[in-house]
Amino acid sequence: MLKSYNFPSVYEATNQELKNVAENILDGIKINLDDNEYIIGNLALVEGHSPHKSINAAPSDAEYKLLSEASLLLTQPKGEEEIYLTTGFPFATYMLYRDKATEVLQGRHIINYDAATFGGPANTKREVNVGKVEVIPEIQGCTIAIREGELQEKDNFFIVSLGYGTCEAIVSTRAGLINRSAVSTHGIRHAVNLLSNELAKTFYLNMKTEHQIDVAFQKGSITVNRVKHNILDLREKVLRMYYKEVISPNLRRAFTDDDFNKCSKMYLVGGGALYPELVNCVKEEFGDIVEIVIYPEPDKCASHGYCLNSKIKAQATKSNIPGNIETEEIKIFRNQQLAVGMDIGNANTCVTLYKETE
């Protein structure tokens, strides 16, 4: 069974003393990093003045470390237990960041956090031991979720990942991914920026951050000068512009007639698949050719796939040891709930744990 924890990829430095302002750790993440305190995710949205996000942060950036430590904090391992961790990056940055991410994430992490936000002690430490790290392309994680998760897809299919920072697509066959068909281009952020430009023609946005505009984009409404305005029509307009100018031309170039001869389904994943207007654009172009399938909880697809990859690799490693002899290397695979997938997205961060059904 997969258990996911999702929070916005936003943060803000703070010197506030916050006590009993959240019900649980997910809503009350406050971390001390390099002698500075940061509120992260849902707590940053509630208590922050101007929470911000970093787009396509490198593993060496403080922003990446903040979000990765917040993710590891949510895994809540017991005692000396270690975890098998899988994470990933878009094709555009995968090769560039893979080795550095492994270096940053592998090993022992001492996370200093403030549990007073949800009723615990103010100065708290949690040790998280990452026994093994694997970094894979994000789109590969999504295909693992589709093939190895609840859907158990066996046939060839197209997959389009509608992420905030990056839109990616590829053809997945039973033999593997067809690299020739890979697409990596601008994500939903392009449409959010179009919306911001349109709104600026009518309203003074009072220096709203990119994340605040994105939240309005998601809700379909924005409050300016205490007045709430419906922006659903405008959202549909910019999403259609985004699809027509960015997504469609890239898919036409990447997917050939031979690909359509092989595939009868197109899976939509990523946060963009939650927008009916964007899904309708895909259906209008491809709905008569292939079946359009939206992955359940599409914004968690990559994290699900990463977690399943950890589970599969952990089991394979354990089964390869003759007689299942206990060794220092294999001790990290005793408890399957410690198979973890971590997706540090530009809009949201999702960490998924595998737990045996109780």
Side-chain angles (χ1 to χ4, degrees):
M1 182 179 71
L2 301 179
K3 174 65 176 178
S4 295
Y5 300 93
N6 208 32
F7 61 90
S9 298
V10 294
Y11 59 93
E12 182 175 300
T14 184
N15 58 5
Q16 297 182 77
E17 185 177 290
L18 300 171
K19 292 184 178 180
N20 299 309
V21 294
E23 293 184 356
N24 51 56
I25 189 171
L26 179 62
D27 294 329
I29 303 174
K30 185 182 179 187
I31 288 178
N32 185 301
L33 180 66
D34 298 330
D35 294 325
N36 293 310
E37 292 191 328
Y38 298 88
I39 48 178
I40 299 171
N42 296 321
L43 186 62
L45 294 183
V46 174
E47 297 288 349
H49 297 285
S50 185
H52 48 283
K53 65 177 73 177
S54 179
I55 302 300
N56 294 328
S60 56
D61 293 343
E63 294 89 342
Y64 186 91
K65 189 171 183 181
L66 270 175
L67 295 174
S68 63
E69 287 207 350
S71 299
L72 292 174
L73 186 63
L74 294 172
T75 64
Q76 302 184 55
K78 299 176 182 178
E80 294 298 318
E81 290 178 328
E82 298 184 354
I83 65 176
Y84 191 119
L85 176 67
T86 301
T87 188
F89 295 95
F91 270 124
T93 56
Y94 166 68
M95 293 297 291
L96 179 65
Y97 293 157
R98 177 183 58 187
D99 293 342
K100 186 62 179 179
T102 301
E103 178 186 328
V104 168
L105 296 171
Q106 184 89 33
R108 188 173 68 131
H109 299 258
I110 303 296
I111 303 172
N112 298 291
Y113 68 103
D114 184 356
T117 59
F118 52 95
N123 298 310
T124 307
K125 291 185 179 182
R126 174 164 291 157
E127 179 177 331
V128 179
N129 291 307
V130 180
K132 178 68 175 177
V133 176
E134 185 166 0
V135 183
I136 62 177
E138 184 177 310
I139 200 77
Q140 182 181 346
C142 293
T143 60
I144 291 172
I146 292 169
R147 291 196 179 277
E148 304 295 337
E150 291 184 5
L151 298 179
Q152 291 289 304
E153 180 61 69
K154 302 301 181 186
D155 296 329
N156 304 330
F157 58 84
F158 298 100
I159 179 170
V160 181
S161 176
L162 303 166
Y164 183 82
T166 311
C167 170
E168 298 200 303
I170 204 165
V171 174
S172 173
T173 70
R174 287 181 290 273
L177 302 178
I178 299 180
N179 289 329
R180 182 263 308 155
S181 67
V183 170
S184 189
T185 186
H186 303 291
I188 298 295
R189 185 190 188 200
H190 182 86
V192 173
N193 288 336
L194 290 174
L195 177 78
S196 181
N197 293 337
E198 289 288 337
L199 290 173
K201 297 175 183 178
T202 307
F203 306 108
Y204 172 56
L205 298 177
N206 195 26
M207 295 190 293
K208 291 186 183 295
T209 67
E210 179 176 335
H211 188 76
Q212 289 170 324
I213 298 295
D214 181 34
V215 170
F217 191 91
Q218 294 173 38
K219 291 181 177 179
S221 63
I222 189 169
T223 301
V224 181
N225 293 328
R226 296 178 289 186
V227 178
K228 190 174 184 179
H229 302 273
N230 187 304
I231 58 172
L232 285 173
D233 289 344
L234 190 54
R235 185 177 78 178
E236 180 175 8
K237 175 185 174 181
V238 298
L239 280 171
R240 286 189 170 275
M241 289 173 59
Y242 164 59
Y243 183 83
K244 182 179 179 181
E245 295 174 2
V246 178
I247 298 179
S248 182
N250 278 279
L251 296 186
R252 283 200 300 269
R253 284 193 295 268
F255 296 160
T256 66
D257 287 344
D258 185 53
D259 295 328
F260 284 98
N261 187 47
K262 295 175 182 174
C263 304
S264 60
K265 292 180 182 178
M266 179 178 289
Y267 280 92
L268 302 184
V269 304
L274 297 171
Y275 296 109
E277 305 95 326
L278 192 55
V279 172
N280 288 338
C281 289
V282 178
K283 289 181 176 179
E284 288 168 11
E285 181 167 3
F286 297 104
D288 294 334
I289 307 170
V290 293
E291 179 186 358
I292 307 299
V293 182
I294 301 174
Y295 182 85
E297 297 185 294
D299 54 331
K300 300 177 182 176
C301 183
S303 182
H304 287 176
Y306 294 155
C307 182
L308 289 168
N309 180 75
S310 293
K311 171 181 174 287
I312 293 166
K313 293 297 179 66
Q315 288 178 330
T317 305
K318 191 169 186 176
S319 64
N320 286 338
I321 295 181
N324 201 23
I325 299 172
E326 195 71 26
T327 68
E328 183 68 19
E329 180 184 1
I330 204 58
K331 72 174 183 178
I332 65 176
F333 308 130
R334 283 193 221 165
N335 190 339
Q336 289 302 321
Q337 80 174 46
L338 297 178
V340 177
M342 183 178 72
D343 177 26
I344 299 180
N346 291 308
N348 294 286
T349 292
C350 185
V351 56
T352 298
L353 284 66
Y354 181 83
K355 294 188 176 183
E356 298 288 357
T357 303
E358 296 179 358

